Each structure stands twice: as structure tokens, then as C-alpha cells.
Amino acid sequence: MWFRVIVALVLTVGFLVGIRLMQSPRTARRGNALGAASMALAIVFTLGWQSALGNPVIWLLLGIGALLGYILADRVRMVQMPQMVGLFNGLGGLASALVAGAAVGSGSVENAFFFLTAAVALGLGTVTFSGSVVAAMKLHGVISGRAVVRRTDNLVLSLLGVVVLASVAVSTLGSARGFAVSMPFNIVAALVIGYVGALRIGGADMPVVISFLNSLSGIAAAVCGLAVSDMLLAGVGALVGVAGMILTQIMCGAINRSLAGLFRGSVPARPAMQPEEVVPAAETATDGAADELGLPAQVVVDDLPELLRKAERVIIVPGYGMAVAQAQHAVGELVSVLEAKGKTVRIAIHPVAGRMPGHMNVLLAEAGLDYEKFVDMDEINPEFSNTDVVVVVGACDVVNPAARSASGTPIYGMPVLKVEEARTVIVLNLDERPGYSGVANPLYDAPHVAHIWGDAKVTVPQVTEMAR
């Protein structure tokens, strides 16, 4: 017994250290490898604990699963990583639900606590599965990425929540028969809750639902571990659940929304304000200082080669459009050319710029960019006013100054990158249409902003040539 406890603690510490290493891009690979190794050892340890190491069917299924996982991970492109993560979250939830159901079917334990935890794991796992499938389909474009909010949703979700709670309560009566009667209601209600809940979130809010479902999959695993008396599963699941919930709260802070409000489909409602005008840095300085900057009254594309030549400090702002265009390597080439000319280049990362936390970091790291160039929003915002040129690549909502004035809209109150404070802004977006929020971006009309509409894989190299 003590040997099992010690092994479980050692493996849990392995997961903790792995998570700690993944906090830094430089050690993330080691952290990921340590986490994977700890998981592999945990599987072998659990099979040995259950005296199942000699079962050929289990090893066959493990082999099939490992092969499928390898093929998926090898073929998925970096731009598809968010939907891959969403799918893995769903499979984790489904695994917890299946284990809980199988444990009840085995009839090895029959008491109120066992049936309670099994019912909760079944419900949480099913919600995670259906919600994650919808999220993955949204991210992959199989269904619309927009939020779908109906007036009756809150009532439906409330009624379904009551059904789940009632089925869990029936399970606590402590009999396999009671669990069997309530289980279909639990499963159906949880499936619909996950489906409707994920439909209600879309666009720029997708990083929140991805991190939340990741947390939910961990919580389902932890409760499942309690049901089957596997402390290793409970401990590791709790780690995933807590880490995912912390990340979810960070994501909510990045968009100035509460998690409950997000799932209710509500948007911030504040007193109306007058839309603010986007003023270039040159106009906020004295006349003498403005002359020294040498900025034209209205920046046009023909001015960009000269402005790039004179620029000393450049900030690049990537967005989801860069990911869709797969333009990360083109951005990497632009950074190389600018640095070869002696420019100081930094990359501003908004927490919800992609479709999962860290999406932009992963894409740009694939292009060979140094992690030290990536700067978070809070740190980079004070630097825009001292920046000569900002290049926005496929980003809209995260640089939209209307977030500070357009009350009642999805982005109102959301912290954004203050690119409008730079002396010159170059926008490389597909077109001038609003982002996922549907809120028009007044940045595009500012006199110190030049835009080149089109696919970033084409427009970024154009700017690179201007900078040579």
C-alpha cells in the first residue's frame, strides 16, 4: 500500500515539475517530455496495480491509441493546433465518463460515495466531450465560429442543470439500479449542456472556452479517480483542473468578462461614451517635435519605405489572421530584415490574439523567432508611444481602440494593444471589415495609419521588400 502511495506521489511531482518547466518557452519542451513520461509510467503503474499487465487486449488498444495519437500529432499543422487541443480535451472527458460507467458496471463497490462520484464524473466528462467537439468544429470551420445565443438558452440550460442534479441525487441512493435508471438522463442532459454552452461562445472568446474545457476535463478525471480509488488519477486530474481554471481566469481578465457572463452570452453594459478619435503621436507633440519626427500629414503606402528606413524601434502585432494565412514564416523574414538594418524589433502578444492561449507564441516560434522578442500586453503597452513603426498582421479586435468607447459591444472594456499611440502604423489585414466582435475599427481611418489589404502571406513580403 505504501509503495503505491509513494509511486503516485513521485509521478504527481513529475507532472508538477513538468507544468513548472512549461512556464518558460525555453524549458517548455523538457516540461512536455517530462509530463508525457510521467503519464506513460502512470499507465504502466496502474495496469500493474490492477494486475492487467498480461492482458493482450489492453496492450492492443494502447498500441492503437498511441498510433492514432502519433499520426494526428504528426499531420496537424500549427494553425490547426487549437482544434487539436479542443479535441484532446473532449477525449479526456469522454475517457473519464467511460471509466466511471465501467466502474459501476463492474459491481466491485456499492456505496453512496462511489455512486455519487461516478455520477458526477459521468456528467462532467460528458459535458466536456460535447462542448469540446463543438469548440473543435467551430475552430476548424465545420460550423460557424460565431456565437449562437438564443433567448431560450438560459431557461433550457437551467432545466437541464436540474435534470443533472436530480440524476446525481438519485445515484446517491447507493444502488446500481438507481444509477442505471438515472444515467441516461444524466448523459443526455450533459451532452446538450456542453453543446449549447459551447455554441454560445465564439470568435475572440474561443481561448476562454478552450482553457475552461481543459480545466473541466481535469476535474472530471479527478472525480473519476475518487470514484475508482485511484489517487494518482485524482491528483493528476486536480492539477490539470486547477491549472486550467487559473488560465481561464487570466483569459477572462484579458477580455474584461466574467466566466459566468460569457456563458450567459452577455456583453458588458456600461454608461454610453463618445467614440474617441485616434490621434497620431505626432499630433500630440509640440510643433517642433512633430517636425523632427518627419511624418507626413497623411501616411500612404508610398511613404512606407522611407518611414521604415528611418525607424529605430519597430513592434509587430500578430493576430489570428496571420495564423489563417500561415504567414508566420513571412513575419520571421520581416523581423530578420529589420534587425539586419539595425532596428530594434519586438513582438506584442495579446492574450486572446489566437484561438487558444499561447497560439501566437507557438506559431512564431515555429518560424524560428527568439522567445525573448515576445512581450505580453501589459509590458508592451507603455512602449507604443515611443515606437516609430507598428506592423499589425491579421489582428483587429485586439488593437481596436473602440474597446475603450463603444459601450454595449462585445469588446467594450476589453484591454487592447495601444498601437494607435505609435508614430506610424501599418495594417496588413485581409480587408477592412470588423473582426469577430463585429465592431468597426476606427484605427483604420487615422491619418498615421497605412493599410495594405490582402492575404498576409502576400502583403508581409511586400513590406519586407520595402524594408530592405
Side-chain angles (χ1 to χ4, degrees):
M1 177 63 183
W2 282 108
F3 174 74
R4 294 173 181 174
V5 172
I6 292 172
V7 172
L9 285 174
V10 170
L11 292 176
T12 302
V13 170
F15 283 108
L16 278 172
V17 175
I19 292 174
R20 176 68 180 84
L21 290 174
M22 284 190 280
Q23 291 181 346
S24 169
R26 295 193 179 280
T27 58
R29 285 180 179 269
R30 278 183 284 160
N32 194 39
L34 179 59
S38 298
M39 178 59 73
L41 290 174
I43 292 172
V44 174
F45 171 68
T46 302
L47 291 176
W49 185 356
Q50 300 296 330
S51 302
L53 284 173
N55 190 327
V57 176
I58 289 179
W59 287 107
L60 175 63
L61 294 175
L62 283 173
I64 293 173
L67 180 62
L68 288 175
Y70 176 82
I71 293 173
L72 284 172
D74 183 62
R75 292 187 177 181
V76 69
R77 295 177 298 167
M78 281 295 179
V79 71
Q80 298 171 326
M81 197 59 69
Q83 46 265 52
M84 185 74 166
V85 172
L87 181 60
F88 281 164
N89 289 339
L91 292 177
L94 179 61
S96 296
L98 291 174
V99 169
V104 174
S106 68
S108 57
V109 181
E110 289 193 5
N111 58 59
F113 179 77
F114 168 70
F115 286 114
L116 170 63
T117 51
V120 172
L122 183 69
L124 288 176
T126 306
V127 168
T128 305
F129 173 69
S130 62
S132 297
V133 169
V134 172
M137 292 172 70
K138 278 176 170 280
L139 292 168
H140 203 59
V142 177
I143 60 177
S144 173
R146 299 281 183 180
V148 179
V149 182
R150 306 179 184 89
R151 293 183 179 181
T152 58
D153 283 352
N154 289 332
L155 176 60
V156 170
L157 290 173
S158 298
L159 292 174
L160 291 173
V162 171
V163 171
V164 171
L165 291 175
S167 67
V168 170
V170 171
S171 298
T172 60
L173 296 177
S175 70
R177 181 176 179 80
F179 186 92
V181 170
S182 64
M183 184 171 64
F185 296 96
N186 191 349
I187 293 175
V188 173
L191 282 172
V192 178
I193 288 174
Y195 172 77
V196 174
L199 275 182
R200 292 164 66 85
I201 300 177
D205 296 333
M206 287 307 293
V208 180
V209 73
I210 291 296
S211 59
F212 176 73
L213 289 169
N214 175 255
S215 174
L216 209 59
S217 69
I219 296 172
V223 178
C224 184
L226 294 175
V228 299
S229 300
D230 188 332
M231 293 303 101
L232 180 58
L233 179 58
V236 172
L239 285 177
V240 174
V242 171
M245 192 54 67
I246 292 173
L247 185 58
T248 300
Q249 291 302 318
I250 293 173
M251 294 293 104
C252 285
I255 60 175
N256 194 34
R257 306 273 290 280
S258 70
L259 185 61
L262 200 66
F263 279 101
R264 285 197 305 267
S266 62
V267 298
R270 309 282 179 85
M273 298 173 60
Q274 293 297 321
E276 60 184 41
E277 181 183 358
V278 181
V279 181
E283 294 184 19
T284 62
T286 61
D287 292 340
D291 291 339
E292 291 180 7
L293 293 175
L295 295 178
Q298 176 72 55
V299 175
V300 295
V301 173
D302 290 342
D303 299 322
L304 298 184
E306 180 67 12
L307 291 173
L308 287 167
R309 184 184 66 80
K310 292 181 177 179
E312 296 180 359
R313 293 179 295 275
V314 179
I315 294 178
I316 295 176
V317 179
Y320 186 60
M322 183 199 75
V324 173
Q326 300 181 54
Q328 61 268 29
H329 293 284
V331 171
E333 176 66 16
L334 173 60
V335 172
S336 297
V337 169
L338 289 170
E339 290 185 331
K341 297 291 184 179
K343 321 294 184 185
T344 299
V345 183
R346 306 187 81 185
I347 299 173
I349 305 292
H350 192 284
V352 295
R355 288 299 172 266
M356 73 175 186
H359 194 188
M360 295 297 102
N361 305 65
V362 172
L363 286 171
L364 292 170
E366 182 195 22
L369 291 175
D370 190 348
Y371 295 121
E372 299 299 326
K373 292 183 176 63
F374 304 157
V375 188
D376 292 335
M377 176 179 62
D378 292 339
E379 183 181 346
I380 200 73
N381 263 345
E383 297 188 19
F384 282 112
S385 58
N386 295 318
T387 298
D388 300 306
V389 175
V390 169
V391 182
V392 177
V393 184
C396 183
D397 289 335
V398 298
V399 297
N400 192 342
R404 295 189 290 274
S405 59
S407 62
T409 65
I411 64 170
Y412 182 63
M414 182 180 86
V416 295
L417 294 163
K418 299 179 179 179
V419 301
E420 75 277 5
E421 295 181 358
R423 292 166 185 167
T424 301
V425 181
I426 305 172
V427 176
L428 305 179
N429 285 351
L430 185 63
D431 50 48
E432 57 185 323
R433 290 182 298 178
Y436 277 101
S437 69
V439 181
N441 195 335
L443 178 73
Y444 299 160
D445 299 323
H448 67 310
V449 176
H451 17 72
I452 305 176
W453 308 123
D455 191 301
K457 213 167 185 179
V458 175
T459 59
V460 174
Q462 292 176 5
V463 175
T464 302
E465 288 303 312
M466 296 177 187
R468 290 187 189 277

